[in-house]
Amino acid sequence: MTAAPDSATGRPVSEREARQVAEAAREQDWRKPSFAKELFLGRFRLDLIHPHPEPDPDSVRRGEAFLAELREFCEREMDGARIERDARIPDEVVNGLRRIGALGMKIDREYGGLGLSQLYYNKALALVGSVSPAVSALLSAHQSIGVPQPLKAFGTDEQKAEFLPRCARHDISAFLLTEPDVGSDPARLATSAVREGDEYVVDGVKLWTTNGVVADLLVVMARVPAHPEGPGGITAFVVEADSEGITVENRNAFMGLRGIENGVTRFHRVRVPAANRIGAEGAGLRIALTTLNTGRLSLPAMCVGAGKWSLRIARQWAAERVQWGRPVGRHEAVGAKLSYIAATTFALEAVLDLSSQMADEDRNDIRIEAAIAKLHASEAACLMADELVQIRGGRGYETAASLAARGERGVPAEQLLRDLRINRIFEGSTEIMRLLIAREAVDAHLKVAGDLVDPDKALADKARAGAKAGAFYARWLPRLVAGSGQLPSAYAEFGRLAGHLRYVERHSRKLARATFYAMSRWQGKLETKQGFLGRIVDIGAELFAMSAACVRAEHLAARGEDGRAARQLADAFCRQARVRVDELFARLWHNTDELDRKVARGVLDGAYAWLEEGVIDASTPGPWIADTPPGPSQAKNVHRPIP
C-alpha cells in the first residue's frame, strides 16, 4: 500500500496504517446492551427502550428552574440579530452566561457547576440556539468536547480540582484536533509533543478551533514520539491558552454561525506540564471518541430546536398567506411540507430525549445511538430548513433585516439554512458518520469472522476463525427467518402504532440478512463499498427513529400529555420513514455505484475537463491547503480572552 504524499502538515501514512490507528482508538468491548447494535443484528430489543426511561425528579426540578432562568436571560439580554450583524458575541452576553452558570451546565456541583442531566443540558442548548446558534455552539464546544467532558471521564482528581471550577465559573475551553491537512484521518496528525523532563514541548498548527479565539483553556491532541519513559502516540493535554508560544493567527469566517469564535492556532515550543496530560500517552484518540459518545448529542439538540422554530414559523405563515382563495397550508403541496416538518421534529426529539435519558441512566451503551442522532438530525434539520424557505417563497430567501426594513416581520429563515449547514460536517461529516456507524454495526461479525478476511492472518488463524464463525452463524442465522413482526397481535399495547413496530422488527431482520449477504459476497472489500454501507446505516437510523417515535408517543399518552396528537405525529413519521426505508432497501442492490466510481475516476483523471469550459473561476489565487510549516508565528495574535 503506498503512502499518502507528504506535505508541510500531515504525516505520510499508508491507508492500512490509517485504518489501524482508527481501529485502535475505538472502544473494543460492549460491556452494556445497545438497542441500536441489536437492531443492526436483526434483534429488535424493544425492552431496552420501552417503557420510556424517566428522568430523576430532582434533576427535573433543577433543570426546569435553570431553563426558566435561561429563558429570561435569552429574552432580556441576547440579541440574535445583533450577533448575526456584527459577527461577534458581545462580551456582556458571555459574562451573563457566566453569571447564571451556563458555562457549568454539565459540570458536577462539587466543582461549582450546575450538574444538569444530559436531557436538560440538551434542552438548554436548543433554547439558546433558537436565539443564536453561535452562542449555543460556544456553550457546546466548551462543555461537550472542551475541557470539562474529557476531564470528567479521564481526568485525575487533581486535574478536576484545578480546572473544572474554572470552567464552571469563568474560563472558556476549546478542543483542538483538526489540522490544515488532517481532518477525519488522525493517523496523519503532525502536531508534536516531545517529552523533556517534567514537561512536553508542543509544536504544530491547529485549524477550525471552535472557541479557540476566546478560549482560556485548550484540549490539544498531539503526537508524542516514543521515548524511554513512555510509548508515545496521539495524546491529550490541557493547555493554558495564554502560554508563551501560542498564537491565534486568524479568526475564520463562515457562511453561517457568524458569531462563532473559530480560528487557526499555532504552537511553537509551547511548554506543557506533564501533569496536564489527560490519561496515558497514546490514549488521546480514544479519549476524544469516548467524549463524543455523549458529546455528539449536543448537535442534534440544536437541530431539534431548529425544527421546533421551523414548525412554528411554517404554521403561522402557511395559515396567514392566502393564494387562490385558500391559506397556502391548505394546498396539498405545501401541506405535505408542513406534515414533514412536524413529524420529523417529533421524531428527532424522540431520538434525542431517549438517547439523552439512556446516557443519564448509564445502563446502555449509546455510542451508536448518539452517532445516529447526530447523523439523522443534521441531515433532517437541513431539509426542514430548506422546506421552510420554500414555504416562505421569496420572503424565505430575503434576510430578516431586509424584511424588517420594509415593514414586515423579520423572519431569519435564510439564516437558519446557512447556520444548519455546518452540522452535516461538524463532529464527523455525514460520510464519516456512516462509516463509523457501519463499523460498529458489523462489530459482532468482525469479532467472529474478521480473521477470515484479514490478508495478514496465518492459515491457522483463519481456521480457528472459521470454526468460531460457523458456531456463531449456526445460532444466529436461523433467528433471522421469523419473528414477532410477523404476528398480527404483536405489540398490541401500542394500538395504531403496533403495525409500525412490527415493520421495524421485520426489517431489522431483513437488514441483518442483507449485511450478512454483503459480507459473504464482498468479504474484506466490503469496507470499500461505501454507498452500500451508507444505505445500511440510513435504514438502521430510520428504524431507530421509528422505534423512538412510537415509544415517545405512548409515553406521552400514558402521562396524559397530548397523547392523541403525539400518536398522529408518530404515525405520520413512521409512514414517511417506511417509504424511505423501502427505497433504501431497493437501492442496496439496484444502484449506480459502479458507474459512479468509473465516472469519478474519469473526473479525477481529467476525462471530462471539456465540460468545465465556458465559465470563469472566481476563486482567488493560492494553494488548496495552506503551507503551515512548524516554527514561530509571523502573524498578529488575535487571541481575545473575554474578561
Side-chain angles (χ1 to χ4, degrees):
M1 187 72 67
T2 58
D6 198 359
S7 72
T9 49
R11 300 167 60 249
V13 298
S14 68
E15 181 179 352
R16 185 165 188 81
E17 181 184 349
R19 293 182 184 279
Q20 288 173 340
V21 169
E23 182 65 20
R26 60 175 292 274
E27 291 182 73
Q28 303 294 320
D29 299 320
W30 296 83
R31 299 182 180 88
K32 299 172 184 175
S34 165
F35 174 80
K37 176 176 177 284
E38 294 293 305
L39 196 67
F40 280 106
L41 285 170
R43 299 190 286 247
F44 182 45
R45 290 287 307 280
L46 186 61
D47 60 295
L48 293 177
I49 62 172
H50 176 68
H52 194 289
E54 290 276 7
D56 172 73
D58 180 61
S59 73
V60 173
R61 178 185 58 78
R62 291 187 292 106
E64 291 292 342
F66 176 72
L67 284 181
E69 184 178 15
L70 181 63
R71 175 179 288 276
E72 182 181 354
F73 172 80
C74 290
E75 292 175 341
R76 186 182 68 249
E77 301 187 38
M78 276 180 58
D79 184 346
R82 176 188 173 187
I83 294 171
E84 171 72 4
R85 181 179 63 251
D86 297 344
R88 176 160 293 180
I89 302 169
D91 289 1
E92 58 268 26
V93 170
V94 176
N95 285 321
L97 293 169
R98 287 167 169 162
R99 185 180 69 250
I100 65 174
L103 293 187
M105 288 186 286
K106 285 200 75 179
I107 298 175
D108 292 341
R109 286 181 285 177
E110 64 179 297
Y111 298 109
L114 299 180
L116 295 186
S117 65
Q118 183 73 40
L119 182 69
Y120 275 93
Y121 170 67
N122 289 340
K123 290 180 182 294
L125 291 179
L127 178 63
V128 173
S130 66
V131 180
S132 170
V135 176
S136 194
L138 181 145
L139 292 173
S140 171
H142 165 63
Q143 293 171 86
S144 296
I145 58 176
V147 170
Q149 190 65 26
L151 281 193
K152 179 179 179 180
F154 298 98
T156 65
D157 291 340
E158 292 77 14
Q159 289 171 336
K160 293 175 183 177
E162 179 178 358
F163 296 117
L164 291 184
R166 292 171 55 182
C167 291
R169 292 191 294 264
H170 182 276
D171 287 5
I172 297 170
S173 68
F175 174 76
L176 281 64
L177 171 62
T178 304
E179 297 178 0
D181 198 25
V182 179
S184 298
D185 183 9
R188 302 179 63 241
L189 197 76
T191 298
S192 64
V194 178
R195 184 71 182 256
E196 292 187 3
D198 293 333
E199 295 179 319
Y200 291 86
V201 180
V202 179
D203 286 277
V205 177
K206 295 294 186 180
L207 177 64
W208 296 323
T209 58
T210 300
N211 288 358
V213 179
V214 297
D216 304 286
L217 289 171
L218 313 172
V219 175
V220 180
M221 295 291 168
R223 182 180 300 279
V224 178
H227 56 93
E229 291 78 29
I234 298 175
T235 306
F237 301 90
V238 178
V239 181
E240 298 281 356
D242 61 357
S243 298
E244 183 178 354
I246 296 181
T247 305
V248 179
E249 295 187 333
N250 191 63
R251 182 179 186 268
N252 303 322
F254 303 99
M255 66 181 285
L257 294 182
R258 290 183 175 170
I260 193 172
E261 298 288 352
N262 181 292
V264 178
T265 304
R266 177 179 292 272
F267 297 80
H268 175 60
R269 296 199 58 78
V270 178
R271 293 193 169 274
V272 180
N276 284 19
R277 187 188 70 217
I278 307 175
E281 287 185 359
L285 286 182
R286 181 166 295 184
I287 289 171
L289 291 177
T290 303
T291 296
L292 284 172
N293 281 346
T294 55
R296 281 197 176 97
L297 292 175
S298 62
L299 194 149
M302 291 179 271
C303 290
V304 167
K308 289 174 176 286
W309 184 81
S310 297
L311 180 60
R312 172 174 294 185
I313 297 300
R315 172 179 59 83
Q316 294 175 351
W317 170 251
E320 176 72 20
R321 174 66 162 166
V322 174
Q323 292 283 276
W324 297 303
R326 287 190 291 173
V328 294
R330 300 290 181 184
H331 293 285
E332 187 174 280
V334 175
K337 299 180 188 299
L338 295 175
S339 175
Y340 172 77
I341 294 173
T344 302
T345 298
F346 177 83
L348 292 188
E349 187 169 39
V351 167
L352 176 66
D353 284 3
L354 179 62
S355 300
S356 299
Q357 191 56 42
M358 288 194 292
D360 287 331
E361 292 187 351
D362 198 27
R363 62 183 173 91
N364 285 5
D365 187 320
I366 66 159
R367 74 182 85 163
I368 299 182
E369 287 83 348
I372 286 177
K374 188 273 178 190
L375 168 67
H376 199 245
S378 61
E379 290 290 322
C382 276
L383 185 52
M384 286 192 290
D386 189 69
E387 294 286 41
L388 173 63
V389 168
Q390 190 70 18
I391 291 170
R392 288 273 292 159
R395 289 173 173 84
Y397 193 68
E398 191 172 1
T399 67
S402 177
L403 289 164
R406 57 185 183 80
E408 292 194 1
R409 182 173 175 177
V411 178
E414 59 82 29
Q415 180 190 337
L416 181 72
L417 190 58
R418 289 188 287 103
D419 287 341
L420 286 173
R421 184 59 183 83
I422 187 58
N423 292 335
R424 296 173 60 199
I425 301 171
F426 260 170
E427 298 180 15
S429 68
T430 290
E431 293 74 23
I432 292 298
M433 292 305 300
R434 285 185 175 127
L435 296 180
L436 184 153
I437 296 168
R439 171 61 187 86
E440 299 296 348
V442 301
D443 186 54
H445 298 287
L446 293 180
K447 275 184 165 55
V448 299
D451 287 354
L452 285 172
V453 297
D454 189 336
D456 293 337
K457 293 297 181 181
L459 288 177
D461 294 326
K462 291 180 180 290
R464 283 191 293 270
K468 187 177 180 182
F472 172 80
Y473 290 119
R475 296 189 306 271
W476 179 68
L477 285 171
R479 297 174 183 172
L480 301 182
V481 176
S484 55
Q486 294 166 287
L487 302 176
S489 61
Y491 314 114
E493 67 272 24
F494 283 83
R496 64 190 290 187
L497 301 179
H500 297 312
L501 293 179
R502 291 195 292 270
Y503 178 94
V504 172
E505 195 278 336
R506 293 194 305 273
H507 287 75
S508 170
R509 287 185 284 110
K510 183 177 180 180
L511 181 63
R513 293 194 300 268
T515 304
F516 174 75
Y517 174 71
M519 292 187 66
S520 303
R521 176 179 176 180
W522 291 309
Q523 299 184 36
K525 294 182 180 180
L526 178 60
E527 66 182 19
T528 69
K529 306 294 183 180
Q530 295 180 0
F532 178 90
L533 291 173
R535 295 178 197 108
I536 286 288
V537 168
D538 287 347
I539 291 169
E542 293 283 7
L543 297 180
F544 175 43
M546 289 174 65
S547 305
C550 292
V551 169
R552 180 177 178 81
E554 287 309 298
H555 177 64
L556 294 176
R559 294 170 53 179
E561 299 180 10
D562 301 313
R564 181 177 179 182
R567 284 171 173 151
Q568 189 172 48
L569 287 172
D571 184 39
F573 174 79
C574 288
R575 291 181 185 276
Q576 294 167 9
R578 287 168 72 157
V579 173
R580 296 190 291 267
V581 169
D582 290 344
E583 179 184 357
L584 285 165
F585 267 116
R587 289 175 56 210
L588 284 179
W589 313 112
H590 304 284
N591 52 64
T592 60
D593 290 352
E594 185 57 38
L595 177 59
D596 293 340
R597 280 190 286 272
K598 292 178 181 177
V599 171
R601 285 194 295 269
V603 170
L604 295 175
D605 293 340
Y608 315 121
W610 52 268
L611 191 59
E612 302 164 11
E613 296 174 2
V615 298
I616 298 173
D617 186 354
S619 308
T620 61
W624 288 107
I625 299 172
D627 186 18
T628 53
S633 179
Q634 304 300 314
K636 177 185 176 181
N637 190 359
V638 297
H639 183 222
R640 185 179 63 86
I642 299 173

